[in-house]
Amino acid sequence: MKTWCRNVDPSDAKTIEPLIYQALQPKLKRKDYSEFTAQYCTLSGKEIRQRAHQALGLYPELATAVHLIALDIAARIRGGDLMLAPIRYESRTDGLSKKTRIIGIESVMQQLMEHVAVGCMHELWEKKYEAHQYASIKGKGQLKGVKQIRKWTQQGLTPYFTKLDVRQCFRSLSRKTAMKWLRRDIGKNERLLWFVDSLLRMHGEGLVIGSLLSQFLCNYFMSYAYRYVMGLHKERRGKRVKLVSCALFYMDDIMLAGKDRRNLLMAVRKLIRFLKQSFGLDVKPGWHIRRHKDCSIDMMGYVVTAAGRIKVRGRVFLRARRAFVRSAKGDDRPKTQRRVSAYYGFFKAARIKSFRTPERLTVNIHSIQVKASILTAKEARREMLCAA
């Protein structure tokens, strides 16, 4: 059996130094990262934040800090003790779905180590991830995923579809299951396997929401589910007939589509059994197979109609409209303008140029976005001057 990541050594400082720099450099404006970096160089945390805000660069101080952090992590791995602080947990409620999730807050050292572990397994992710997995993968995302659904709709591949949602996916994936599959694919690189196993021990039961390593491992497991469901077929009159025409995975949200309702139902039942037997995952029972002609596909914050048109999900539109109306009425607070910029992408994808409010106010999407971008740029310059 072919294995990957054979020659990667996480205890080699030269190997992990670029990975640490990649993780550290974009986050030096944050207080926790700047204070942590200050322990490894001659600058104070405040000086690091000031230089990061002003985009002045930190060389040679940053190069020195990254080198010393790499030596520290490498020594801990060789010594067989990562010496990490326990993970803190916070309960947070999603503003859109109203779901309450337990988020793990890791120490900066653990976050850097997880970046190192993920980077060391880059070859594995590259070989295992599939084309139609869109969550937390560079170059993918919600918009690219919804455009792919529209393309399938226009090609006539989605007469019937269903959406599956895995129940508490991260918490249900155990360390034992993760290491079983990683040993299968990584093989004899015992040091890398020990390093990943030690990081997962810090997670306790299941995987921690908010962890970089958890995201990559979840996509890794779901890649097996994708290949399994796309490989399902039946024999009919001496020919192989695929049960599923297309599938899209957005972390633990799954959309399956096909031309035959009976075949799609068979595929869903087999996939549910596969997820349970292979990874111990349960699918929420409220799934239904629907005709696309009668029901739009609601996925990743967008809605795709049977005619191939992209719309904004109802509850997302209401929150976005509220932010745009406030901005149109003269609310120039940075918080409002940041929300406008964040929601602008939904309107742009759905090609919405303007809308009217119940009070008959016409809101032009593009002009409000231009105004917001100018105001947020002013806010950024103000922060830089304050830091100086």
Side-chain angles (χ1 to χ4, degrees), residues 16-28 57-59 62-63 66-67 69-70 112 115-116:
I16 66 176
E17 209 168 303
L19 301 174
I20 295 170
Y21 176 81
Q22 184 183 6
L24 196 63
Q25 194 271 337
K27 297 183 179 180
L28 290 174
L58 298 174
Y59 285 100
L62 180 58
V66 168
H67 179 66
I69 293 169
L112 293 178
H115 272 277
V116 169

Side-chain angles (χ1 to χ4, degrees), residues 233-242 260 262-263:
H233 69 279
K234 70 178 183 181
E235 296 288 335
R236 183 170 177 81
R237 296 175 184 173
K239 295 182 179 180
R240 289 165 59 97
V241 178
K242 292 186 70 173
D260 185 283
R262 185 181 297 176
N263 289 350

Side-chain angles (χ1 to χ4, degrees), residues 198-236:
S198 299
L199 289 172
L200 292 179
R201 285 180 187 276
M202 300 296 298
H203 289 211
E205 291 186 13
L207 302 180
V208 169
I209 299 175
S211 160
L212 182 72
L213 183 58
S214 298
Q215 295 174 22
F216 276 80
L217 286 175
C218 186
N219 275 327
Y220 165 66
F221 296 133
M222 290 297 117
S223 71
Y224 277 97
Y226 177 91
R227 284 189 291 276
Y228 174 80
V229 76
M230 290 303 295
L232 293 175
H233 69 279
K234 70 178 183 181
E235 296 288 335
R236 183 170 177 81

